[in-house]
Amino acid sequence: MPRLPAGVNSGALQPMPPGGLGPGAELGQDVPGLTLATLFLPNLPQPPTIHLPLQSSVFQGLPPPFSQRHSYCFCSMASLPLKKNYRCETVLQQFYGGGPLVVSSDGSFIACSCGDSINIIDSSNASIKSTIEADSDTITALALSPDDNLLFSAGHSRQIRVWDLSTLKCLRSWKGHDGPVSGMACHASGGLLATAGADRKVLVWDIDGGFCTHFFKGHKGVVTSIIFHPDSDKYLLFSGSDDATVRVWDLLAKKCVAILERHFSTVTSLAMSEDGWTLLSVGRDKVVNLWDLRDYSCKMTVPTYEVVEAVCIIRPGTLFASFLSSYIHQTKKKISGSPDIYFITVGERGVVRIWNSDCAACLYEQKSSDVTFSSDSEESKRGFTAVMMLPLDQGLLCVTADQQFFFYTPVELSDKKSEMILSKRLVGYNEEIVDMKFLGDEEQYLAVATNLEHVQVYDLGSMSCSYVLAGHSEIILCLDTCISSMGRILIVTGSKDNNVRLWDAESRCCIGVGTGHMGAVGAIAFSKKQRNFFVSGSSDHTIKVWSLDDLSDGVEQPINLKVKAVVAAHSKDINSLAVAPNDSLVCSASQDRTACVWRLPDLVSVVTLRGHKRGIWSVEFSPVDQVVITASGDKTIKMWSVSDGSCLKTFEGHTSSVLRASFLTRGAQIVSCGADGLVKLWMVRTSECISTYDKHENKVWALAVGKKTEMFATGGSDAHVNLWYDSTASDKEEAFRKEEEGVLKGQELENAVTDADYTKAIQIAFELRRPHKLFELFARLCRKRKAEQQIENALHGLGKEEFRQLFEYVREWNTKPKLCHVAQFVLFRLFNILPPTEIIEIKGIAELVEGLIPYSQRHFSRIDRLVRSTFLLDYTLTGMSVIEPNSDAQQVKSNSLIRYDESANEQADLNSEKAAPKKRKSQKALNGSQKKVKSADHTKAAAISLQA
């Protein structure tokens, strides 16, 4: 065998993808008794061809199959380190389920309802900062105090609660309405809270006292909206109802001062002008009414020609006011010089419109809606439900009926035109996540398919939904991404509408549509090498190969994609497809429990993989070897040889169906997820699961692995998307750092013990969590006199968690007779130092005390018996004149001995009663035993007298 040239490390040889050989490559040759492989040395001018037997040490540690006789190709490169641990970061989760929401005064957070809880989310990236549980009460109304310290909530239970946002605790709660609370508003002074209910009542409450200050009746329908006058000196309250009226309540006079009647349908929203003299009301009658609060007359009615759900005022001096002035100047609209009111309306059309109160004209209207509509029916077209101007010029927030937050910001474009753009989109609810893939050169985007008709593309940096790809008429079931040979980022999707669609990520539009399947398209895969075709599998049991050769740049309408080949592949639904790294093969996985390998592009059958006992959910080719892995509903993952279809390995460990499995670390590891909500990391060589992660609450349907960073993302039925980062190196560094700190702390502990600084030594022992060393320190202090001060100094420096840990140690020590005296000594000092109010606040103290009591009683009984035994010895020795009795303590000891004799007599009587049923001994035997006892007593007395 020829030797390797200088500078070539045989341990760094790594396998290449099948078929991925360079020009001039030779395939391995088979000789009798040896399987040879071809080694390429690209660093040399003319790479020599070296044949090495696979049985040599060069190939040890490579992925299986080891027993098969195949030809492999290896190149010189650094070996990749194996992953041992991953760190999870939840980047997408459900935070808004529809209903009420409020924004803080500085716009930093949003409080919104999500089922029976309230989420406090960061408005920048939708991360949940905290969650308030509302005791299974569906939230119907929310309000914030002016200083953002208090949050008010109410639900179907009619319970009004006041929450402290710093501690997330309920300060007080009360009931007052006879039906659900539909609206809330807090006075500018922060002392009053107004609530509107479905019982047609409007109530005003004192926040500190929790009692009702005003009780207003008069509406004939459900009160839908309520606001205070923004001026804290004007105690006016406005309420709108579905009886098409707006009522004005005077809090000082405690009566209704005006009824505003110009609407013909439900009043949905109210707003107040900057000067405080104009009230705006909108409703489902498609008009906006402006009311003069001086005489409560209607100044103007503005027709909007759409159902308006919300209205807000544009304040002078804000960014939107500047944008409006610039826009009016560009469009040369005629506006009077009077101080007009500009307001924004949103509604069923899903567009933002800006109006002027002087001419009742729409000054600005979005050209198209950013809300994604379903094409099923007109009923599914839903627009905006709320709008509010964010403080500090942070933009405009619009909320959609499908739980999405749209943030609009006015910008000046390159051609000196002002436009309002969608700067951020936060998705509050995603339903079930079906599939997802990384997108882009740096994999900074994630394309997610949920139980919707469109694909959402998220920016992983801010987790804002960058854009939406809409076009399918049914739910999207699968997707795949790639970068074409022309550098275009492409996305292909398969849907229940039996069609496949090709999307351009840059233009964000559909560039191709493929029709022909007779069933839902449940599997799709791009070409890996040439990237000029993709493969689709359907519930009609067929596989189709679609060509991308006809694509061209700048197409306005999507083209019809052409089919290159089609085959009836399985007898049941096709769940997954995978294309080989060299585009020569495609493998299909089906619900019929088989996986089939087909030769491309003609889809000629190569081999059928049989062995699973349930349907196969996922299939993938190894990036380095001629093998595939399949994940099945029989709770296993199997590895197969492509050449002969034999099963090489079986990975067992999941407790339910395995739904996805992918290779990591160039085929040396596997990551899988299943219906049990678990994510597992496997070693291919040993078939061992080295890590299991439980971060999902339900089935994990989707798994995406990054090709460059090898991070991966998982998503499932819990609507969560978790990003997993390789933390092997950081964990190793952290473990080394902790070990180093432990060594230094250990040395510091020994120095403190040597210096007899027990206070410092005890604190360090607590930091290092060394209960044995801690016991030794307390035992030394027990043997020292006047050590109480050192113990008190050491215990005073402990926190609540450390006190709980000390109680656990004491409970453990107290179970052993040899250690109980130290445990009781420490316990005595603890109860002397800590007041009862602090003891009961320690977490789990009740359970700890329950474990201390029985053993303490047992130790006390044992010591009491020993003490009483010493009294008997003193009495015996005193009666025999061995020791002189203590005159001062004689009376005390005699009383103790009397009590001891009485207890002994009682015990003897009890024993005689127990022995009554037994057969009595003969009198002769009794006399004999008495004689023996007497002789023994005489013998002992003689011995004592001799010693004396």
Side-chain angles (χ1 to χ4, degrees):
M1 179 188 303
R3 296 182 179 180
L4 294 176
V8 178
N9 182 10
S10 62
L13 300 178
Q14 295 292 329
M16 290 288 290
L21 307 180
E26 295 183 20
L27 294 177
Q29 302 176 2
D30 290 334
V31 297
L34 291 177
T35 302
L36 300 180
T38 304
L39 174 69
F40 293 94
L41 304 176
N43 297 327
L44 301 180
Q46 296 293 331
T49 300
I50 305 175
H51 296 281
L52 300 175
L54 288 182
Q55 290 83 350
S56 67
S57 60
V58 174
F59 306 102
Q60 292 181 1
L62 293 179
F66 303 112
S67 59
Q68 304 300 318
R69 291 167 59 84
H70 300 304
S71 297
Y72 298 91
C73 176
F74 300 87
C75 67
S76 175
M77 60 177 64
S79 59
L80 296 177
L82 297 176
K83 278 73 173 175
K84 294 184 179 179
N85 195 20
Y86 273 85
R87 184 185 72 256
C88 174
E89 178 182 345
T90 302
V91 295
L92 185 63
Q93 57 187 318
Q94 178 181 348
F95 63 85
Y96 178 57
L101 74 153
V102 286
V103 182
S104 63
S105 58
D106 59 356
S108 60
F109 69 88
I110 303 173
C112 55
S113 63
C114 185
D116 55 0
S117 62
I118 305 169
N119 287 329
I120 311 298
I121 67 168
D122 191 337
S123 57
S124 61
N125 56 8
S127 61
I128 298 179
K129 300 169 67 175
S130 56
T131 300
I132 299 174
E133 299 297 335
D135 298 333
S136 302
D137 185 17
T138 302
I139 304 300
T140 57
L142 289 173
L144 271 172
S145 61
D147 57 2
D148 296 335
N149 291 330
L150 299 179
L151 175 67
F152 311 97
S153 69
H156 285 301
S157 67
R158 299 170 290 142
Q159 194 84 15
I160 301 170
R161 293 183 173 91
V162 183
W163 305 90
D164 186 354
L165 289 183
S166 60
T167 61
L168 301 180
K169 292 183 178 180
C170 181
L171 301 180
R172 62 190 65 91
S173 64
W174 64 84
K175 285 186 178 181
H177 287 274
D178 297 328
V181 179
S182 55
M184 276 184 171
C186 186
H187 193 259
S189 63
L192 297 176
L193 177 70
T195 58
D199 56 359
R200 309 176 185 179
K201 299 174 185 177
V202 175
L203 304 180
V204 182
W205 308 86
D206 183 276
I207 294 175
D208 294 330
F211 57 86
C212 181
T213 61
H214 299 78
F215 183 92
F216 297 128
K217 294 179 66 176
H219 281 292
K220 299 179 181 179
V222 175
V223 185
T224 56
S225 56
I226 186 170
I227 62 169
F228 276 105
H229 197 285
D231 189 352
S232 59
D233 296 332
K234 295 181 180 179
Y235 288 89
L236 293 178
L237 180 64
F238 309 92
S239 61
S241 170
D242 61 1
D243 61 4
T245 64
V246 178
R247 289 180 177 260
V248 184
W249 312 91
D250 191 335
L251 300 183
L252 299 179
K254 296 186 177 182
K255 65 177 182 180
C256 178
V257 296
I259 302 176
L260 312 180
E261 298 178 316
R262 287 294 288 269
H263 284 284
F264 299 96
S265 185
T266 302
V267 179
T268 56
S269 180
L270 301 172
M272 188 67 62
S273 64
E274 179 71 17
D275 57 9
W277 291 108
T278 304
L279 176 70
L280 282 73
S281 63
V282 299
R284 296 199 173 110
D285 53 1
K286 304 181 181 182
V287 297
V288 180
N289 288 327
L290 285 76
W291 307 89
D292 191 342
L293 297 183
R294 296 179 179 87
D295 55 3
Y296 302 110
S297 62
C298 183
K299 295 170 57 176
M300 182 178 293
T301 298
V302 180
T304 60
Y305 304 105
E306 73 165 335
V307 173
V308 182
E309 294 292 340
V311 61
C312 69
I313 299 292
I314 298 179
R315 309 290 180 186
T318 60
L319 188 63
F320 262 85
S322 303
F323 156 73
L324 192 58
S325 301
S326 175
Y327 183 81
I328 292 172
H329 178 72
Q330 292 171 8
T331 55
K332 299 180 181 180
K333 291 181 179 287
K334 295 182 178 180
I335 300 297
S336 64
S338 59
D340 300 327
I341 300 173
Y342 300 100
F343 56 93
I344 297 174
T345 61
V346 295
E348 63 178 352
R349 292 173 53 189
V351 296
V352 177
R353 296 197 285 178
I354 303 178
W355 304 80
N356 174 259
S357 64
D358 179 61
C359 57
C362 180
L363 303 179
Y364 173 82
E365 180 178 355
Q366 283 183 305
K367 297 178 181 179
S368 61
S369 174
D370 293 312
V371 182
T372 304
F373 294 140
S374 171
S375 58
D376 292 337
S377 61
E378 293 295 324
E379 294 179 356
S380 63
K381 292 187 177 182
R382 299 168 294 179
F384 293 124
T385 59
V387 63
M388 55 196 72
M389 192 69 66
L390 296 177
L392 306 177
D393 285 336
Q394 297 181 42
L396 182 72
L397 171 62
C398 298
V399 183
T400 68
D402 56 353
Q403 297 90 37
Q404 297 188 39
F405 292 178
F406 289 0
F407 293 82
Y408 288 101
T409 305
V411 295
E412 185 173 343
L413 303 179
S414 57
D415 53 356
K416 295 184 178 182
K417 287 185 180 181
S418 297
E419 190 63 39
M420 188 172 63
I421 64 169
L422 179 62
S423 59
K424 185 166 50 179
R425 182 202 312 250
L426 302 180
V427 180
Y429 184 66
N430 264 315
E431 296 188 7
E432 193 169 4
I433 296 174
V434 179
D435 199 4
M436 57 187 177
K437 290 290 188 296
F438 287 105
L439 195 65
D441 291 331
E442 302 300 326
E443 298 172 351
Q444 70 272 27
Y445 294 97
L446 186 66
V448 180
T450 63
N451 277 345
L452 296 173
E453 302 83 4
H454 51 262
V455 175
Q456 298 167 344
V457 180
Y458 289 90
D459 184 353
L460 295 180
S462 63
M463 279 321 294
S464 168
C465 183
S466 298
Y467 54 92
V468 174
L469 304 177
H472 284 286
S473 59
E474 291 286 347
I475 295 173
I476 295 175
L477 299 177
C478 56
L479 63 89
D480 198 9
T481 61
C482 81
I483 301 177
S484 68
S485 56
M486 303 294 294
R488 302 173 66 181
I489 302 176
L490 302 179
I491 305 172
V492 63
T493 56
S495 169
K496 274 189 175 182
D497 59 7
N498 305 345
N499 296 334
V500 295
R501 283 181 176 266
L502 187 66
W503 312 83
D504 186 357
E506 184 177 356
S507 62
R508 303 177 183 180
C509 61
C510 179
I511 59 177
V513 179
T515 59
H517 279 294
M518 303 302 294
V521 181
I524 208 156
F526 263 117
S527 163
K528 294 295 187 295
K529 186 178 180 181
Q530 300 295 331
R531 299 168 186 174
N532 57 355
F533 69 91
F534 66 88
V535 187
S536 65
S538 169
S539 60
D540 61 4
H541 313 160
T542 63
I543 300 175
K544 293 179 183 288
V545 180
W546 305 84
S547 175
L548 301 180
D549 296 334
D550 297 335
L551 290 180
S552 59
D553 296 334
V555 293
E556 297 181 357
Q557 295 294 330
I559 64 173
N560 292 323
L561 300 175
K562 296 181 180 180
V563 177
K564 297 172 63 175
V566 61
V567 67
H570 294 272
S571 59
K572 289 186 178 181
D573 296 358
I574 298 174
N575 294 327
S576 179
L577 290 171
V579 178
N582 61 354
D583 291 345
S584 62
L585 302 173
V586 61
C587 187
S588 60
S590 171
Q591 204 64 31
D592 62 4
R593 310 178 187 179
T594 65
C596 297
V597 180
W598 311 85
R599 183 176 293 110
L600 291 173
D602 301 328
L603 293 178
V604 178
S605 178
V606 176
V607 68
T608 301
L609 313 178
R610 305 179 186 273
H612 280 294
K613 299 178 181 179
R614 294 289 186 272
I616 302 176
W617 288 104
S618 172
V619 64
E620 183 171 321
F621 277 93
S622 170
V624 297
D625 211 343
Q626 297 179 2
V627 296
V628 295
I629 57 170
T630 55
S632 169
D634 60 6
K635 310 177 188 178
T636 65
I637 305 168
K638 289 183 180 292
M639 179 176 288
W640 311 82
S641 170
V642 175
S643 60
D644 56 5
S646 60
C647 180
L648 305 175
K649 285 179 178 290
T650 299
F651 303 85
E652 296 180 336
H654 279 280
T655 59
S656 188
S657 300
V658 187
L659 302 176
R660 287 288 186 271
S662 294
F663 280 104
L664 286 175
T665 324
R666 292 187 58 82
Q669 292 178 290
I670 295 174
V671 60
S672 64
C673 56
D676 51 9
L678 301 179
V679 178
K680 288 181 175 290
L681 183 64
W682 307 83
M683 292 293 297
V684 171
R685 183 177 182 182
T686 61
S687 304
E688 176 189 4
C689 176
I690 60 174
S691 296
T692 299
Y693 309 100
D694 187 8
K695 292 295 183 180
H696 286 276
E697 299 174 358
N698 212 324
K699 298 178 180 178
V700 185
W701 285 107
L703 173 64
V705 178
K707 297 178 181 178
K708 292 186 177 180
T709 60
E710 286 210 330
M711 69 175 180
F712 63 88
T714 56
S717 300
D718 56 0
H720 287 193
V721 173
N722 292 331
L723 275 183
W724 304 81
Y725 299 94
D726 180 20
S727 61
T728 304
S730 60
D731 289 348
K732 187 176 181 180
E733 292 177 2
E734 182 69 16
F736 179 77
R737 185 184 63 81
K738 287 184 178 180
E739 184 179 358
E740 187 178 20
E741 289 180 356
V743 172
L744 296 176
K745 284 287 184 181
Q747 185 62 46
E748 190 176 354
L749 175 61
E750 295 300 329
N751 294 339
V753 173
T754 304
D755 298 339
D757 189 356
Y758 292 100
T759 301
K760 183 179 180 181
I762 289 173
Q763 293 176 352
I764 296 175
F766 261 111
E767 292 179 11
L768 297 177
R769 291 294 187 267
R770 295 184 181 179
H772 181 69
K773 191 66 177 179
L774 198 62
F775 174 80
E776 291 181 356
L777 295 173
F778 281 124
R780 291 186 183 185
L781 288 175
C782 287
R783 293 190 291 267
K784 290 182 177 292
R785 294 182 179 181
K786 299 180 180 180
E788 291 81 2
Q789 187 62 36
Q790 295 190 38
I791 294 181
E792 290 184 3
N793 293 338
L795 296 181
H796 276 306
L798 303 180
K800 286 186 177 181
E801 183 63 27
E802 292 174 328
F803 274 122
R804 186 190 64 81
Q805 191 68 40
L806 181 56
F807 270 108
E808 288 185 359
Y809 293 157
V810 170
R811 182 182 62 176
E812 183 67 24
W813 300 338
N814 198 43
T815 59
K816 301 175 182 178
K818 293 182 179 180
L819 312 180
C820 67
H821 62 286
V822 177
Q824 292 296 324
F825 173 76
V826 176
L827 195 61
F828 177 74
R829 303 311 310 171
L830 277 174
F831 282 116
N832 280 343
I833 293 173
L834 293 177
T837 54
E838 293 186 11
I839 292 177
I840 61 176
E841 292 180 357
I842 297 176
K843 185 179 180 181
I845 189 62
E847 182 182 353
L848 294 173
V849 171
E850 287 180 1
L852 285 167
I853 290 175
Y855 284 98
S856 297
Q857 291 176 343
R858 184 180 302 176
H859 299 322
F860 177 77
S861 300
R862 179 168 52 84
I863 294 174
D864 185 59
R865 288 195 304 270
L866 292 174
V867 171
R868 287 191 288 177
S869 300
T870 60
F871 290 158
L872 179 60
L873 180 60
D874 290 346
Y875 173 75
T876 304
L877 296 177
T878 303
M880 300 175 65
S881 301
V882 176
I883 60 175
E884 292 294 331
N886 189 354
S887 59
D888 297 333
Q890 186 175 5
Q891 186 64 30
V892 177
K893 287 193 174 184
S894 62
N895 295 336
S896 301
L897 288 173
I898 291 171
R899 290 196 300 270
Y900 177 77
D901 293 339
E902 290 176 354
S903 61
N905 293 335
E906 292 176 0
Q907 185 67 26
D909 295 340
L910 184 61
N911 294 336
S912 62
E913 291 177 1
K914 291 182 179 179
K918 297 182 179 179
K919 185 177 180 181
R920 296 185 177 272
K921 295 183 179 180
S922 63
Q923 188 66 27
K924 184 177 180 180
L926 291 175
N927 294 335
S929 62
Q930 290 176 0
K931 290 180 180 179
K932 291 179 181 179
V933 171
K934 287 181 180 179
S935 62
D937 291 340
H938 287 300
T939 304
K940 290 182 180 179
I944 292 173
S945 62
L946 288 173
Q947 292 176 2

